[in-house]
Amino acid sequence: MRYQIRHARVQFGGDVILRDVNFEVHDREKIAIVGRNGCGKTTLLKLIAGDIEMSNPDSDEECGITMAGGQEIGFLRQVNFVDAEVTVEDELKKVFAPVFACEERMKELEEQMKTAAETKGTAPDGALLREYDRLQKQMEAMRGYSWRRDMETMFQRFGFALEDLRRPIGSFSGGQQTKVAFIKLLLTRPDIMLLDEPTNHLDLPTIEWLENYLKGYDKAVVIVSHDRMFLDKVADVTYEIEYHEMKRYPGNYTYFMQRKQEDLIKQEKDYEEQQKEIKRLTDWIEKWKNTPTKVAATRSKRMAIEHMVKIEKPRRFDTRAFHGRYTPRIESYTNVIQAKDLSIGYDAPLADVSFLLQKKERLAVIGENGKGKSTLLKTLIGELPALGGSFKFGQNVEWGYFDQQKAVMEQAPPQQTVLENFWAAYPGYLREEMRSALGGFLFSGEDVEKKMGQLSGGEKVRLALCKMLQTRPNLLILDEPTNHMDIIGKEALEQMLHEYEGTVLFVSHDRYFISRIATGILEFSGDAVRQYAMDYEEYLAEKQKCAGGVAANAGSAAGRNAGGTAERNAGSKGTGGVAAEAGNAAGRNMGSAAGQGAHVRGAADTGSVPTLSDVFDKKTYYNPGKVRSRLQRQKEKYERMLAESEEKLAELQMQMLDPALASDYPKLMELQSAVDAEEANQDSLLERMLETETELAEYEEA
């Protein structure tokens, strides 16, 4: 066990945030922390990181925090780069200071051993060798031999160009600086990595890369996130914080939700049965309490009630969906938006967009950051001018626009209440009408008197959505509507949009939300924008299918080229035909493997090995002399292929011994697959060569 919290309490003043917390981190665990906004998730991370202390350290000897020796905990705190003029590369290289120190010491030892050998002519001192060996192992453990590759790869994965490494850190936006700080944390490779909403402001390709990185991470990770699909992909343990207490569930978010529902149903049933039993016993006592012959029995039943382990009545959070006025004021015509070669951008075009949005469709706009998704929405609503092409709204279209950045950053007076803020937007509403509208977005009771300066990001989003929907538009244009929302809020919004009778155009990186809502996809990819008239799951299947087809075609083309080259280089027509066929076969096999995601670079495909039937056709080439000559050339070819295979195999085996790959398990698995494939290829080659030698011997005897 790497880390443990026992019976801890955290409170600020009289407010209890966490009560009786029990929490464990084991080796390689990927732990999800879930709960509503404000329940204490970030507080827990701060407790683990040591930024705050438990409030009851001396209350009980069972209380406390235990950590295995030498553990490094990494936590992305408030971003604050001291020197804005330092380059990003120099900032990131700070992570590798231990690597550089180790490298420098190894160079010193190498010089000492070299000097000893040159001057004294003796073998290096044993102590020097032992220290050098220790430093080598230390370098391997720190991934010191691949630090630059790791840094550059990760930097690019987060959407930066390599040239950006030379830019001053102060020249980047706040969001970009946060990404740099996140990259530093990942490169540090702490024993326990604490991540608070790591997918915020990341695009889909980066999120998917981060998923794979964290799944392969050989240490522990604790994640606070509202991204349900991300948690499903990464987490193998889930902790829920509810009513200031924590409960551990094995499995990812989906499994946790199933288990929680099952536990809740069981608790409700057990509670009801216990209450029935208590009532039965109480009724019996009331009936016979004054009967002298029943005194002992009455006492026994009272004791039975007193000694019962009471089952608490299950508490359910209010999970009501939003229930505002969602019916559009008027109905639009069939075609809602039609864009043709619409050029969008600021000073220069970002993309040319063509799409058709029809009534009651819910079109998700997805793709990498910076490709023009939000720019498209701003162009449609008139905030930005079109740079070319055209678009038009259909008849009777009335749109409402939501921008999560504006919602969260709204400069409302901090002392203004939610009710006053809403009233300023809709002064014609009666007080009860306002309360009803706000209640539809879960601002009920005293919530309407909350100060604007006290609202969470999720509450500001709900308020902005509430105000927008009061106009009852038939087209919703939403830019990242789920950002800052907790899972309950997201589920409520999903239900609202399902029941909404109008049309929806939305930008989102929340794959779970997209899969629940979208009926179509508008993808910004590279320099192209493509519309898919299908839901998200079908879109993913189509993309996988297309990727496989492209890879297969590429493999076939490579095979054709290989065959053509062999034919041109061969001295005889027959051999050329054999080589061409072999090349085509290699291409088919390569394409098939690539289409299935199974092709490994450096491994020869067994299907590329020609058979005897590829060598000659006895009906056509009946001349024994010609057949003998072809068989001899084929035998020599097999020998060359075996020699090449031996070299490849040796190269792969040397790669597996690379110290830099000691903890890179995905790469090691890939190399092992390549080794297995090459060994199978050798077996096939040997078998074919023996067949050829046998056939050749028969012709020579004849």
Side-chain angles (χ1 to χ4, degrees):
M1 186 181 302
R2 289 185 178 273
Y3 185 92
Q4 184 182 43
I5 301 175
R6 303 180 308 279
H7 304 292
R9 184 177 73 250
V10 178
Q11 65 185 68
F12 300 110
D15 297 330
V16 176
I17 309 300
L18 298 170
R19 179 192 301 115
D20 196 28
V21 172
N22 291 285
F23 178 77
E24 296 177 352
V25 181
H26 297 267
D27 287 342
R28 298 174 178 263
E29 277 189 339
K30 309 299 183 289
I31 300 172
I33 311 294
V34 300
R36 295 174 70 109
N37 283 343
C39 70
K41 301 186 296 293
T42 300
T43 300
L44 176 66
L45 294 188
K46 290 179 178 178
L47 180 64
I48 299 170
D51 293 351
I52 60 175
E53 296 181 352
M54 54 190 292
S55 303
N56 60 329
D58 304 320
S59 62
D60 191 322
E61 62 181 10
E62 293 297 322
C63 298
I65 297 175
T66 305
M67 183 168 64
Q71 298 291 302
E72 183 181 357
I73 297 177
F75 183 36
L76 185 60
R77 297 173 174 84
Q78 185 69 34
V79 178
N80 183 23
F81 293 107
V82 178
D83 187 356
E85 297 303 316
V86 72
T87 66
V88 174
E89 181 172 359
D90 289 339
E91 186 65 39
L92 294 178
K93 284 170 70 174
K94 293 177 182 177
V95 171
F96 304 106
V99 171
F100 301 148
C102 187
E103 199 173 48
E104 188 63 29
R105 179 56 182 161
M106 288 175 70
K107 287 180 181 177
E108 291 175 3
L109 293 175
E110 288 170 359
E111 285 297 322
Q112 291 180 28
M113 289 186 286
K114 183 181 178 182
T115 301
E118 291 176 350
T119 58
K120 300 178 182 178
T122 58
D125 183 75
L128 294 179
L129 287 172
R130 286 191 294 275
E131 184 181 359
Y132 193 84
D133 182 62
R134 179 182 61 78
L135 290 171
Q136 275 192 319
K137 292 176 180 176
Q138 190 176 330
M139 284 285 285
E140 292 168 9
M142 296 188 297
R143 296 176 62 89
Y145 296 109
S146 62
W147 70 267
R148 178 167 288 281
R149 183 188 65 195
D150 292 347
M151 180 185 72
E152 291 180 350
T153 300
M154 196 169 294
F155 192 66
Q156 292 178 93
R157 288 292 187 181
F158 276 79
F160 296 101
L162 284 179
E163 308 86 73
D164 292 333
L165 284 168
R166 295 186 291 272
R167 287 176 54 189
I169 192 74
S171 67
F172 291 90
S173 68
Q176 290 172 318
Q177 289 188 29
T178 300
K179 284 187 178 181
V180 172
F182 191 9
I183 294 169
K184 280 187 69 176
L185 174 62
L186 294 175
L187 290 172
T188 303
R189 297 181 57 82
D191 300 292
I192 303 175
M193 188 185 301
L194 309 180
L195 302 178
D196 195 355
E197 297 291 354
T199 62
N200 274 5
H201 312 298
L202 299 182
D203 56 24
L204 285 180
T206 307
I207 292 172
E208 289 169 353
W209 174 86
L210 183 60
E211 283 172 355
N212 292 325
Y213 179 86
L214 293 178
K215 283 192 290 187
Y217 190 63
D218 58 353
K219 300 175 184 179
V221 184
V222 182
I223 308 164
V224 168
S225 179
H226 295 138
D227 188 330
R228 292 158 291 180
M229 189 168 290
F230 181 79
L231 295 179
D232 267 348
K233 294 285 182 100
V234 176
D236 47 43
V237 175
T238 302
Y239 278 89
E240 183 191 32
I241 302 178
E242 193 175 40
Y243 301 108
H244 311 293
E245 296 179 351
M246 294 184 65
K247 186 174 181 179
R248 180 183 172 105
Y249 295 85
N252 61 14
Y253 177 79
T254 297
Y255 182 77
F256 144 71
M257 289 297 294
Q258 293 171 349
R259 279 287 306 273
K260 182 183 178 182
Q261 188 62 26
E262 291 169 1
D263 292 350
L264 196 60
I265 292 170
K266 184 179 183 302
Q267 188 180 352
E268 287 175 340
K269 183 180 178 182
D270 292 346
Y271 173 79
E272 289 172 0
E273 290 179 353
Q274 187 178 69
Q275 290 302 305
K276 288 178 183 178
E277 178 63 11
I278 291 173
K279 186 177 184 305
R280 185 186 69 80
L281 293 173
T282 302
D283 290 346
W284 195 97
I285 292 169
E286 285 297 317
K287 182 178 179 180
W288 301 105
K289 64 181 180 181
N290 296 320
T291 303
T293 58
K294 303 289 187 181
V295 172
T298 300
R299 186 184 303 113
S300 174
K301 287 178 171 50
R302 282 202 179 98
M303 290 180 66
I305 295 175
E306 290 171 2
H307 288 85
M308 272 185 189
V309 179
K310 299 296 189 298
I311 300 171
E312 290 187 9
K313 184 178 181 179
R315 295 178 290 179
R316 292 180 180 264
F317 268 124
D318 182 8
T319 57
R320 297 172 296 158
F322 302 152
H323 52 272
R325 292 178 287 181
Y326 311 135
T327 304
R329 190 183 69 83
I330 58 174
E331 194 172 338
S332 72
Y333 280 47
T334 300
N335 288 348
V336 177
I337 304 178
Q338 190 168 3
K340 186 176 181 181
D341 299 324
L342 176 62
S343 183
I344 61 172
Y346 291 84
D347 297 329
L350 286 172
D352 290 335
V353 187
S354 297
F355 73 97
L356 174 64
L357 178 63
Q358 295 187 314
K359 185 170 65 176
K360 294 190 177 182
E361 288 182 341
R362 299 189 293 270
L363 184 64
V365 185
I366 67 173
E368 298 177 10
N369 287 339
K371 296 297 184 182
K373 303 185 301 294
S374 296
T375 306
L376 170 64
L377 302 193
K378 287 181 170 66
T379 303
L380 294 175
I381 66 170
E383 282 194 12
L384 292 173
L387 303 182
S390 63
F391 76 94
K392 63 178 181 180
F393 290 100
Q395 289 186 296
N396 289 351
V397 172
E398 296 181 344
W399 53 263
Y401 174 63
F402 169 84
D403 183 342
Q404 61 93 11
Q405 284 189 329
K406 289 184 178 179
V408 175
M409 301 302 292
E410 183 185 0
Q411 298 299 315
Q415 296 303 313
Q416 187 183 51
T417 66
V418 170
L419 194 66
E420 291 167 345
N421 183 271
F422 184 91
W423 208 342
Y426 295 96
Y429 273 44
L430 298 174
R431 192 175 186 86
E432 288 307 313
E433 288 179 312
M434 286 191 294
R435 281 188 167 275
S436 175
L438 289 168
F441 283 78
L442 311 183
F443 290 101
S444 56
E446 295 180 358
D447 290 339
V448 299
E449 300 299 334
K450 274 190 175 181
K451 307 294 185 185
M452 293 297 295
Q454 298 174 336
L455 296 185
S456 68
E459 289 171 322
K460 289 178 179 178
V461 167
R462 282 194 277 123
L463 178 59
L465 285 169
C466 177
K467 291 192 290 186
M468 181 199 69
L469 282 166
Q470 298 312 303
T471 61
R472 299 170 62 192
N474 52 37
L475 168 63
L476 301 181
I477 301 176
L478 311 175
D479 194 355
E480 296 285 2
T482 62
N483 267 9
H484 307 285
M485 274 193 181
D486 60 16
I487 292 174
I488 297 297
K490 290 181 181 183
E491 291 174 348
L493 182 60
E494 288 164 5
Q495 186 174 335
M496 186 214 85
L497 292 176
H498 272 297
E499 296 173 356
Y500 177 65
E501 296 177 3
T503 309
V504 185
L505 176 68
F506 68 100
V507 171
S508 181
H509 293 137
D510 189 329
R511 292 162 297 170
Y512 198 97
F513 181 76
I514 296 169
S515 68
R516 293 288 306 276
I517 298 301
T519 60
I521 304 294
L522 187 66
E523 179 195 42
F524 283 66
S525 178
D527 297 327
V529 180
R530 183 178 176 186
Q531 185 174 5
Y532 295 82
M534 58 188 69
D535 63 28
Y536 189 60
E537 298 301 323
E538 291 173 321
Y539 156 79
L540 291 177
E542 180 68 18
K543 292 289 288 184
Q544 188 173 8
K545 180 181 175 183
C546 290
V550 168
N553 290 335
S556 294
R560 288 193 296 272
N561 292 335
T565 302
E567 185 174 358
R568 288 190 297 272
N569 294 337
S572 78
K573 178 179 177 183
T575 307
V578 171
E581 179 58 31
N584 287 331
R588 288 192 297 273
N589 291 328
M590 188 186 298
S592 173
Q596 300 169 10
H599 184 69
V600 181
R601 184 181 297 174
D605 296 311
T606 39
S608 67
V609 181
T611 64
L612 280 177
S613 61
D614 297 322
V615 181
F616 67 93
D617 183 344
K618 290 183 179 180
K619 291 182 181 180
T620 305
Y621 302 101
Y622 54 86
N623 187 311
K626 289 184 178 180
V627 172
R628 190 183 304 113
S629 178
R630 278 189 208 96
L631 286 171
Q632 184 62 43
R633 288 197 299 271
Q634 191 62 34
K635 177 188 173 185
E636 293 169 358
K637 183 176 180 178
Y638 283 140
E639 289 172 347
R640 288 196 305 273
M641 292 175 72
L642 272 170
E644 292 171 359
S645 181
E646 288 286 352
E647 290 179 5
K648 286 182 182 179
L649 186 60
E651 183 183 344
L652 290 168
Q653 290 170 338
M654 286 298 295
Q655 289 182 37
M656 292 186 70
L657 297 174
D658 187 351
L661 300 178
S663 59
D664 191 348
Y665 299 110
K667 181 64 177 176
L668 288 173
M669 292 293 291
E670 180 184 347
L671 288 172
Q672 185 59 56
S673 298
V675 167
D676 294 342
E678 200 61 58
E679 289 176 344
N681 181 48
Q682 285 189 12
D683 291 341
S684 180
L685 280 169
L686 283 168
E687 183 181 347
R688 303 292 171 81
M689 190 170 73
L690 289 171
E691 289 178 3
T692 304
E693 287 177 343
T694 303
E695 192 79 15
L696 183 61
E698 292 176 0
Y699 272 89
E700 287 177 345
E701 289 174 1

